[in-house]
Structure formats: C-alpha cells, structure tokens
C-alpha cells in the first residue's frame, strides 16, 4: 500500500528520526505528518523587527536584538556573554551548551539574538536566547513564524522553537497539497472562509498579518461550526426522535398550589413554566436546563413542574446534591404542597429505617406523588410506580451514570422528563457548548422587593470594626454567616484553619449572649443538620462554616455574609455565597476579607464582585479575565471538549455566528444527507466533536 505523505509516520520527516518521533508522540500526541500540521502556534513572532537594547522593556514578550559580542565569562556551569548595539549593553546567560556557545560567540562577532528579556538584579538579561546570523530576518524577511506548545523534555531533546519551525516547513513542503478540504464549498463561500490549504500554510508561516487573520478565522470557525453542528444535531435527534410521556393537563394540584401562593410569580418564572409545559405536552422527552441566579425562585418552578406531572397521573422526584439541601427543599416544598393534598416524602442516605421503608412503599404503590432526596433516590432498591419527571438541582454534582440510572426508573423504557436546575450562571457562549444539546430556560428577573446586597472589600486591619458591625446587626435581630475557604492541600490543616477561625469568632462573640454554630464537611450528617437547623431557626446568631452552605440554603433572617480569605475563592463561588443573604427584605451585606499579600489580579476580581450584582454579567467578566478553562466554581472540572484553536472566552462572536449557521444547515438538511453535506457528515463521524459528559443529561 502506498502511504500518503500526510499519513506517513513523523519519524520519517527529515530532522526527526525514531527518538524524537517517540518524544513528539509522548509529549504532544503527534504521530503523523498530518498530526504535526494540525499543531497550531499559540502565537506568532515577527522576526523582521529588531529592538534597540536601550528600548527593551523587561519581562515583555520575546524580542529580537542585533548586537556585537563584547566579552565572555565562562564558568563550569554558566556562561555569561556581554553584547552591545549602538544604544547599550546587556548580558546573555547560558547554562547549557556552554562549550559550543562560547566558541561561537567570539568577541567582535555580530548576531541576532532572540529571547525573552528579564530583569535580574536591576539589569536586563536574556537566558538562552536563540542565536542567528547577523542579518536580521535573513531569508525570512517579513515572514512571521509560529511559537508552538512545548515541554521541557522536547527542549532537552533539541526540539526548540526553531527546530519546530523547520519541521513545519518540511511537513508543508511534503504534504500540503494532500490536505483535503473539510468544509463544503457553499459553507466556505457563505462565510467568507479561506481554503483549508491556505489556512494551514498561513497559520504556520503567515504571509502577512491579514493572511494570518484569515487563516485563524477559518480554523476557528470550522472548529466551532462542527462542534455546534454536532450539538444541534443531537438536540434535533432527541427532540424529534425520542418518545416522551404526554402530559397535556395542568391539573388540579397545580391550580391549588398556584392560587395559594403568597406572591405573584415573576414574569420570568411564568415564561419558564410555559416553556416547560410546552415540552411536557410535546410527546418528546424534555431535556431542559433551567438557569437562574441564586434567589431567582427556581424552587417554585420545580414545585409547579412536579405538580404538572402529578396532575397527569405521574410521580415526580426532586434531587438535591446534599443532605442539608434536600431537607431544606423538602421543608419548603411541603409548605407549598399543603393546599394541594399531594403527598410528598423525603429519602436520603441518613433516612431512618422506618422512614425509608415507608418511602419505598409509598413510591411503589403510588401514594407518594413527589419525592425529594439525594443520591439515595437512584439506589436499586427504590422502585417507582410511574415516575414521569426528574428535577435535578445543581446538575454538576451528578455523574452521567447516576443520571442514566434515573432513566431506568420509569420501568417501561420511556425516559422521564428531565429538568436540570443550576444557580451557577455561565456565559452564553459557554452554555451553548456545555449545554448545547439541551433546551435552555433562563430566569433573568429577581422577585420584587429585594434590597441590593452591599459588597465590601476589607483587610485584616478592619477586623475590629467588622466585629462591631456584626454585633450591631445581631442587636437588630439579624444573623451572620462567616465562611472559611478550604485552603491547604491537606484536609487536616484545612480544618485546623477553620477551627482556629471558629475560636477567634467565639472569643469575639462569647456565650452568653452570643451563640455561634459551626458546620463543615467532616461532621456527621446529623451533627451538620443539627447545627444548620440551629442557625436556620434563629437559635444561633452566627454560623461559621466551610463552603458546605454554598448552594441553596435559605435563611432569610441572615443579613451578613463574611467571606474570609476571599481571594481563595472563584468569583462565581463568591457570588453563590453572597446569594445566601439578601433573601429577606432587610438590607444585607457581603464582606470580603482579603489577605495582605494579594495579587493585583485577585484584587481586581474582588473589586469586580463589589461592583457587579448580576450573576451573568459577573460570569462574562470572569471569563474574560481568566479564560474559560479556569471557570472555577462552575465545577465543570475538565472541559467537556478540547478545543484546538478556538477559545470560548475570546471567540464568542465567531461561536454565535457558527451556531446560527449550524442551525440553518440542519434546518435544511437535518440528517446531513444531501450530497453537498457529505463532507460534514464525515467530519462529525470522526467523533472529535462528541461531548462525552454532557451529551446525555438523563
Ligand atoms: P433559588 O432556588 O432560585 O435560589 P428560591 O426558589 O430559593 O431561589 O427562592 C428564593 C426566595 O424567593 C424564597 O424565599 C422564595 O419563597 C422567594 N420567591 C420565589 N419566587 C418569588 C416571587 N415570585 N415573589 C416573591 N418571592 C419569591
Ligand atoms: Mg435553590
């Protein structure tokens, strides 16, 4: 069989060989010439520009200087070389290749040096610059070159940036003509995209800035378009292909609950309930994500949704991620259900045997209409008579396996309708990807009458003032949360840290008259529940805790949220914590205590929180500041998909365009069966764009 140049093993590329090939495979997952060509530079350098030494800004990006060697000082482990140009002098430092380099850099000779200028002992130097002949940009005038991801091992094996450029050039010479177009002609034309060959050539060796821009746009668009095509296609398949229980009544229970509500639903709540109802009537399985900031009133939506299921003769379950939350949900939901006569029950890991037996019985015989619980709900021993709906609160805590277990609970092969609720606002572009195959509803309106939460940033110096302030609030009958982060690697140290904090608080708020409760993850469930209850019922003035209170806990009387070492938390986590107060009608405060040695970026993030109330705005800003891979607090550890070149943070505009375009393509040809779309079908079938964790929420 004749192997094409593109598919040939990387070891046969001139300059590689078996050793380097093994390393490239191991370090960068590059096995073929094709793989190599698809390793894109993360930035480009313009080697035609030379910076005068006097104008060098330390710690800037890599630069090129053109200079003459003045002197050398070679020691066994270090070579220092002084160079100068017309404007000044600087030092170059080498720790490796000392003999070779010192022989090459003869005083009086001239070279171009390329590297990152750093400031050391008040002077600028460059460590291990690349050395080239004196003529700047010789043989490559006006040509930009790429800078590629690398590792220490690759560099040690001599695969430097320059070597990478050479390998790329060789690969292009050999295999570029073989690169086949991946997008149909009409897609290129309608979106103003350059060909794949042009893009690959110019991503590695851009002819000029404009060519680079076109190449990047083409490659990013392709990546985001195929990803969205895959997501939207899955969504189509599910909404048109899968059977779902038809629930076309609203039902009496719904109306009874609705009519007894002590408040009017917000416009957003009403709209969302309508969206959910439409899904439940459609005959297809609902797979809907409900996003709503903390306090936006998702519980009510969950209850009314569950009542629709009950009104159509089905059972509903509401799953919470923690015991504490399940109990709180149950207490709230029971209140709402009182006027309806629908029987609800709770089932968690710490349910007592009798309680458990009763719940199992009621679920099996159908007397329980709504069950609230934790993971205990999906155990094999739990059998439903006719489960029709699952509401999952804070989806990120549930794994795929657990979700699929729920599927089987209906007993008859038809999956239950699924509503996933999250209080973690994520930017639109991220939502489109993480949940691109789900329908999404957003509660973007807060219940009326809420006072804004004042967010303040303070330091240790203001500690006494803070204590005084909390005493005042307590004197007014209010309560305070004080949250400590989990800081250290070791859990033991973490809890020591928390304990110390607790002791300080107890010292400042002695009993009597003050009562301080403490809750953390290492307590037994009943101890945790006891302390939580003491605070929720107002028996304790202060709750000291780790982030176990993060999600959902509702104590309307609490007016102060103190967050210690706030810089240690992610922004969205801080926002979640802040949402624990401001639930009553009193003015509330979130006080961020920052450590003394906090970086400028951390401080900026905390200030952003002080100035931004809306969770979605915050998430957008956070993403821009940190990039999406690090959206801590969304808990989506590990991106569900590896993007090669596009960035969800920076390429939002391209993503939107790609999404709209993908929808258009699929509307016209849902199965991608037309001959013009053959290539698209092939690309998707490669599986690169399957999102593993999120493709099935239930
Ligand atoms: P979420 O779960 O979205 O964080 P909750 O459902 O716990 O929010 O609601 C927060 C608080 O707002 C609760 O005390 C709830 O009773 C109240 N609430 C919900 N909807 C409304 C509304 N339409 N008008 C007034 N208060 C509401
Ligand atoms: Mg909630």
């Amino acid at each position: 069989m004749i192997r094409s140049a593109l598919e040939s093993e990387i070891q046969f590329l001139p300059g590689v060989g078996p050793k380097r090939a093994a390393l490239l495979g191991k370090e960068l997952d590059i096995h073929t010439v094709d793989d190599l060509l698809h390793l894109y530079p993360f930035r480009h350098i313009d080697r035609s520009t030379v910076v005068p030494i006097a104008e060098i800004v330390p710690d800037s990006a890599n630069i090129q200087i053109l200079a003459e060697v003045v002197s050398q000082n070679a020691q066994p482990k270090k070579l220092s070389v002084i160079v100068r140009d017309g404007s000044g002098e600087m030092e170059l430092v080498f720790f490796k290749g000392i003999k070779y380099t010192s022989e090459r850099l003869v005083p009086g000779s001239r070279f171009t040096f390329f590297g990152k200028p750093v400031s050391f002992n008040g002077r600028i130097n460059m460590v291990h610059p690349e050395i080239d002949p004196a003529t700047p940009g010789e043989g490559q005038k006006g040509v930009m070159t790429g800078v590629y991801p690398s590792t220490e091992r690759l560099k040690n094996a001599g695969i430097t940036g320059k070597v990478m450029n050479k390998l790329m050039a060789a690969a292009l010479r050999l295999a570029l003509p073989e690169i086949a177009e991946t997008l149909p002609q009409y897609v290129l034309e309608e979106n103003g995209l350059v060909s794949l060959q042009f893009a690959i050539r110019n991503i590695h060796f851009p002819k000029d800035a404009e060519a680079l821009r076109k190449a990047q746009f083409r490659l990013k668009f392709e990546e985001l378009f195929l990803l969205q095509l895959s997501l939207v296609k899955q969504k189509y398949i599910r909404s048109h292909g899968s059977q779902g229980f038809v629930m076309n009544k609203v039902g009496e229970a719904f109306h009874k609950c609705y009519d007894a509500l002590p408040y009017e639903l917000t416009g957003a709540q009403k709209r969302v309930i309508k969206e959910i109802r439409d899904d439940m009537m459609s005959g297809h399985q609902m797979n809907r994500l409900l996003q709503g900031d903390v306090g936006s009133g998702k519980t009510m939506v969950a209850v009314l949704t569950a009542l629709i299921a009950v009104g159509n003769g089905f059972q509903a379950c509401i799953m919470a991620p923690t015991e504490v939350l399940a109990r709180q949900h149950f207490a709230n939901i029971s209140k709402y259900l009182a006027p309806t006569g629908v029987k609800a029950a709770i089932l968690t890991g710490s349910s007592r045997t009798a309680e458990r037996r009763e719940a199992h019985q009621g679920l099996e015989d159908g007397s329980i209409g709504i069950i609230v619980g934790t993971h205990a709900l999906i155990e094999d021993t739990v059998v439903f008579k006719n489960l029709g709906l699952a509401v999952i609160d804070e989806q990120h805590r549930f794994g795929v396996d657990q979700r699929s277990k729920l599927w089987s609970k209906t007993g008859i092969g038809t999956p239950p309708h699924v509503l996933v609720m999250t209080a973690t606002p994520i930017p639109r572009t991220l939502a489109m990807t993480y949940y691109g195959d789900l329908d999404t509803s957003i509660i973007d309106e807060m219940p009326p009458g809420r006072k804004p939460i004042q967010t303040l940033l303070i330091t240790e110096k203001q500690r006494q003032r803070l204590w005084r302030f909390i005493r005042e609030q307590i004197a007014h009958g209010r309560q305070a949360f004080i949250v400590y982060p989990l800081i250290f690697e070791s859990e033991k140290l973490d809890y020591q840290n928390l304990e110390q904090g607790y002791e300080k608080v107890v010292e400042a708020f002695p009993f009597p008259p003050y009562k301080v409760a403490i809750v953390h993850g290492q307590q037994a469930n009943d101890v945790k529940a006891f302390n939580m209850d003491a605070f929720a019922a107002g028996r304790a003035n202060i709750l000291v805790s780790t982030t176990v209170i993060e999600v959902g806990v509702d104590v309307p009387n609490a007016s102060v949220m103190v967050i210690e070492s706030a810089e240690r938390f992610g922004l969205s986590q801080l926002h979640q914590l802040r949402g624990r107060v401001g639930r009553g009608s009193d003015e509330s405060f979130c006080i961020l205590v920052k450590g003394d040695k906090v970086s400028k970026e951390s401080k900026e993030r905390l200030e952003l929180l002080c100035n931004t109330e809306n969770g979605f705005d915050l998430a957008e800003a956070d993403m821009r500041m940190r990039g999406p891979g690090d959206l801590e607090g969304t808990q989506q550890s590990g991106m569900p998909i590896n993007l090669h070149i596009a960035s969800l943070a920076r390429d939002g505009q391209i993503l939107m365009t790609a999404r709209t375009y993908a929808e258009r393509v699929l509307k016209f040809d849902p199965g991608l069966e037309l001959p013009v779309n053959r290539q698209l079908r092939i690309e998707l079938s490669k599986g690169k764009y399957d999102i593993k964790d999120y493709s099935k929420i239930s």
Side-chain angles (χ1 to χ4, degrees):
M1 191 181 104
I2 301 168
R3 306 206 67 173
S4 68
L6 208 51
E7 284 165 27
S8 66
E9 286 172 39
I10 194 74
Q11 62 162 316
F12 301 120
L13 192 70
V16 180
K19 259 199 189 147
R20 283 181 169 183
L23 210 54
L24 283 168
K26 207 161 156 196
E27 301 287 298
L28 295 175
D29 206 18
I30 291 172
H31 308 278
T32 63
V33 171
D34 193 31
D35 293 340
L36 183 70
L37 287 175
H38 285 88
L39 177 77
Y40 301 139
F42 55 88
R43 65 190 175 78
H44 291 81
I45 46 183
D46 183 350
R47 298 291 294 263
S48 61
T49 305
V50 172
V51 179
I53 289 177
E55 286 170 28
I56 293 176
V57 181
D59 304 312
S60 63
N62 286 358
I63 52 151
Q64 181 171 244
I65 61 167
L66 172 59
E68 178 189 327
V69 178
V70 179
S71 62
Q72 283 192 3
N73 177 9
Q75 289 161 10
K77 297 223 159 119
K78 180 182 165 188
L79 170 67
S80 157
V81 178
I82 304 295
V83 298
R84 74 164 166 238
D85 63 7
S87 73
E89 278 189 5
M90 72 179 292
E91 185 189 18
L92 310 176
V93 182
F94 302 85
F95 299 102
K96 277 182 298 210
I98 290 175
K99 184 162 176 288
Y100 168 81
T101 311
S102 69
E103 281 166 12
R104 189 170 177 210
L105 300 187
V106 185
S109 57
R110 285 158 53 84
F111 295 92
T112 59
F113 300 98
F114 177 80
K116 190 176 164 64
V118 292
S119 168
F120 186 73
N121 281 344
R123 292 180 52 182
I124 294 178
N125 70 25
M126 255 189 219
V127 181
H128 284 229
E130 283 175 27
I131 306 165
D132 282 306
T135 328
E138 190 182 51
Q140 50 182 10
K141 215 176 179 68
V143 170
M144 286 185 274
T145 52
V147 182
Y148 297 87
S150 185
T151 66
E152 210 50 45
R153 291 168 112 188
L154 286 171
K155 282 184 198 140
N156 288 343
I159 307 182
T160 58
K162 220 162 66 179
V163 169
M164 277 308 265
N165 292 140
K166 280 191 185 144
L167 297 183
M168 284 300 176
L172 283 173
R173 250 191 328 271
L174 224 72
L176 187 66
E178 283 180 22
I179 289 183
E181 183 54 58
T182 40
L183 296 177
Q185 190 60 29
Y186 81 94
V187 174
L188 297 182
E189 275 165 24
E190 290 182 0
N191 295 283
L193 305 175
V194 295
S195 73
L196 185 55
Q197 286 195 8
F198 180 96
I200 296 278
R201 166 178 292 289
N202 281 280
I203 198 78
H204 295 299
F205 296 99
K207 196 164 76 279
D208 51 36
E210 179 62 11
L212 175 59
R213 198 192 57 72
K214 282 182 175 157
Q216 284 171 330
F217 181 76
R218 144 80 209 217
L219 295 170
K220 287 176 177 184
F221 184 94
E222 170 174 355
E223 186 167 56
L224 294 170
F225 169 64
L226 291 175
L227 173 62
Q228 290 301 326
L229 200 65
S230 164
L231 289 166
V232 177
K233 193 158 172 272
Q234 284 173 47
K235 188 170 140 177
Y236 270 41
I237 290 171
R238 185 161 36 222
S239 59
H240 299 294
S242 78
Q243 284 292 310
F245 297 120
V246 179
M247 303 190 183
N248 49 17
K249 284 186 290 195
V250 171
E252 213 180 309
F254 181 101
H255 286 300
K256 281 185 177 157
C257 174
Y258 194 92
D259 293 344
L261 282 181
Y263 46 73
E264 175 87 357
L265 292 188
T266 63
Q269 283 171 316
K270 286 183 189 163
R271 187 191 69 236
V272 162
I273 289 171
K274 168 134 195 345
E275 286 164 357
I276 291 169
R277 264 198 63 200
D278 288 347
D279 282 358
M280 293 169 88
M281 287 192 294
S282 73
H284 302 294
Q285 185 207 11
M286 170 167 76
N287 261 279
R288 188 167 282 278
L289 174 75
L290 175 59
Q291 274 189 285
D293 216 337
V294 215
S296 61
K298 293 186 294 297
T299 312
M300 200 56 244
V301 173
V303 170
L304 290 171
T305 305
L307 287 174
I308 294 176
V310 172
N312 285 275
F314 291 91
Q315 292 169 301
C317 72
I318 300 178
M319 302 222 293
T322 66
E323 177 96 24
V324 170
L325 271 173
R327 299 222 166 262
Q328 179 144 45
H329 264 325
F330 181 63
N332 280 334
I333 288 167
S334 301
K335 264 192 320 218
Y336 293 125
L337 291 185
T340 66
V342 173
K343 188 174 172 198
I346 178 161
L347 186 62
T348 72
S350 63
S351 292
R352 291 177 206 293
T353 317
E355 194 183 16
R356 185 184 303 259
R357 201 177 302 129
E358 209 182 303
H360 283 187
Q361 185 59 42
L363 288 175
E364 203 164 344
D365 67 24
S367 59
I368 292 175
I370 299 176
I371 182 96
V372 180
T374 56
H375 295 79
L377 283 178
I378 51 177
E379 276 165 22
D380 292 335
T381 45
V382 179
V383 178
F384 288 84
K385 181 166 181 237
N386 56 353
L387 180 68
L389 167 78
V391 178
I392 302 175
D393 200 2
E394 297 302 333
Q395 90 299 339
H396 50 254
R397 312 273 173 106
F398 285 97
V400 179
D401 294 352
Q402 293 161 332
R403 289 171 193 151
S404 68
K405 268 193 157 178
L406 254 183
W407 270 80
S408 61
K409 292 277 179 207
T410 62
I412 54 167
T414 306
H417 292 303
V418 176
L419 180 69
V420 173
M421 305 199 292
T422 177
T424 310
I426 63 173
R428 214 165 121 71
T429 54
L430 279 196
M432 264 182 192
T433 304
Y434 285 132
Y435 310 114
D437 60 334
L438 298 183
D439 295 299
T440 308
S441 291
I442 298 181
I443 307 187
D444 51 6
E445 183 185 349
M446 285 291 186
R450 254 159 221 274
K451 293 227 173 113
I453 302 163
Q454 275 203 47
T455 307
L456 305 167
L457 180 59
I458 68 165
T459 64
E460 204 50 48
K461 290 198 196 77
Q462 285 135 291
R463 174 71 64 187
Q464 292 311 319
R465 263 183 73 191
L466 172 62
W467 289 160
R468 274 204 302 282
F469 175 72
I470 295 177
R471 281 188 206 108
E472 275 165 33
Q473 289 287 310
I474 293 175
H476 284 99
R478 302 287 158 246
Q479 294 165 278
F481 289 102
I482 303 180
V483 180
Y484 287 84
L486 297 183
I487 297 179
F488 300 107
E489 297 284 301
S490 127
E491 273 189 33
K492 221 169 148 189
L493 279 176
D494 269 341
Y495 289 101
Q496 249 174 37
N497 191 57
L498 176 73
E499 292 286 340
Q500 279 164 10
Y502 175 65
E503 274 161 30
K504 269 202 310 199
V505 174
V506 172
E507 230 169 78
F509 296 87
F511 175 81
Y514 299 107
K515 284 186 212 134
V516 182
I518 179 167
V519 170
H520 58 75
Q522 288 200 331
Q523 288 168 333
N525 280 336
D526 50 346
V527 175
K528 219 187 295 179
F530 178 85
N531 289 330
M532 236 5 267
D533 289 347
F535 186 69
R539 290 191 300 275
N541 313 101
I542 296 178
L543 181 71
V544 172
S545 80
T546 53
T547 48
V548 288
I549 57 151
E550 185 187 332
V551 246
V553 175
D554 200 8
V555 183
N557 192 47
S559 62
V560 185
M561 166 63 66
V562 178
I563 305 173
E564 300 284 348
S565 305
E567 71 277 6
R568 310 264 181 171
F569 293 87
L571 256 193
S572 48
Q573 214 179 358
L574 288 170
H575 178 67
Q576 296 265 320
L577 286 168
R578 173 167 69 176
R580 301 296 111 224
V581 294
R583 307 205 135 204
S585 52
D586 286 286
E587 189 163 27
S588 309
F589 304 87
C590 174
I591 296 158
L592 311 171
V593 187
K594 77 174 177 69
D596 292 330
K597 294 188 205 96
V598 167
S599 71
K600 196 162 146 259
E601 290 83 41
S602 296
K603 190 157 169 270
E604 274 171 17
R605 277 196 314 121
L606 296 176
E607 279 163 359
L608 183 71
L609 188 80
C610 294
N611 301 324
T612 315
E613 250 187 76
N614 180 299
F616 287 93
D617 293 348
L618 202 60
E620 292 281 354
D622 193 23
M623 181 170 79
R624 279 199 304 276
M625 279 170 108
R626 298 201 294 171
D630 195 22
L631 277 191
E632 187 197 331
T634 57
Q635 309 280 326
Q636 269 117 7
S637 52
M639 301 277 279
I641 185 116
N642 257 334
L643 290 177
H644 224 68
I645 181 163
S647 147
L648 295 179
R650 285 184 301 274
D651 302 319
Q653 202 54 50
I654 306 179
L655 174 61
M656 298 293 195
T657 314
R659 169 85 177 195
T660 313
Y661 193 70
E663 277 166 357
R664 237 178 76 198
V665 169
L666 286 170
K667 204 163 170 194
F668 202 69
D669 182 16
L672 298 178
E673 277 151 10
L674 296 177
V676 282
N677 288 328
R678 184 172 164 269
Q679 193 56 38
L680 295 177
R681 211 169 57 235
I682 293 173
E683 291 304 317
L684 292 196
S685 72
K686 291 178 185 166
K688 254 194 306 189
Y689 299 96
D690 297 346
I691 291 194
K692 285 153 205 80
D693 283 354
Y694 294 86
S695 61
K696 271 216 175 79
I697 213 80
S698 50

